[in-house]
Amino acid sequence: MAIPLAGAPIEDASKDVCEPCSPGALIDRDEVEALTAQLKAMADQTRLQIIHLIDQSPAGELCVCDLTESLDLAQPTVSRHLKILANAGLLRREQRGTWAWFSIRWEALQELRGRAFPRAAESSPC
């Protein structure tokens, strides 16, 4: 029996045998590619800020001009980030005159959560 630094004995587990269990089925290759694309789209500081700003807006949508001002970034940079999020299916884009307005596709985020983390989605009260 080994004695740890804290003085409490550590149980000897050398007699136990690891019995592998099936972790479940792998995600289909096409499915994992789609999930990866969506997760990569959100794995950027600016894009997470965009989603947060849209979520916090009273109307649940923002114009590109609102985002450029809030993020202190040039319009082409913000538009590139918005395009990535929209192409991943996470934002809805609506053209109003010369300006594009964006809102979160909540159903896409819920679906992403359910596909990527099915056990978490099953235990969710929503």
Side-chain angles (χ1 to χ4, degrees):
M1 178 174 358
I3 301 194
L5 295 176
I10 296 177
E11 188 176 319
D12 184 8
S14 62
K15 295 178 254 173
D16 293 337
V17 177
C18 178
E19 294 182 28
C21 64
S22 174
L26 291 174
I27 303 173
D28 175 77
R29 181 176 277 301
D30 292 336
E31 178 79 3
V32 87
E33 286 179 13
L35 289 170
T36 302
Q38 287 184 313
L39 292 169
K40 280 183 180 180
M42 292 193 323
D44 177 89
Q45 293 176 3
T46 301
R47 293 192 284 271
L48 283 175
Q49 289 287 14
I50 287 170
I51 290 173
H52 177 76
L53 288 169
I54 293 171
D55 179 48
Q56 297 300 308
S57 70
E61 63 181 3
L62 287 175
C63 174
V64 174
C65 63
D66 297 323
L67 291 165
T68 56
E69 187 176 320
S70 295
L71 296 166
D72 195 28
L73 294 172
Q75 183 270 329
T77 302
V78 173
S79 291
R80 181 178 55 86
H81 286 294
L82 288 165
K83 182 177 181 178
I84 291 168
L85 289 166
N87 286 346
L90 302 171
L91 292 183
R92 183 175 293 107
R93 181 183 189 277
E94 182 183 335
Q95 191 70 34
R96 297 182 195 162
T98 57
W99 294 101
W101 290 76
F102 292 85
S103 58
I104 298 171
R105 292 190 61 238
W106 291 108
E107 64 280 4
L109 288 177
Q110 288 292 83
E111 183 180 322
L112 172 62
R113 179 182 180 210
R115 290 181 1 237
F117 310 103
R119 288 183 64 189
E122 289 171 6
S123 64
S124 174
C126 300

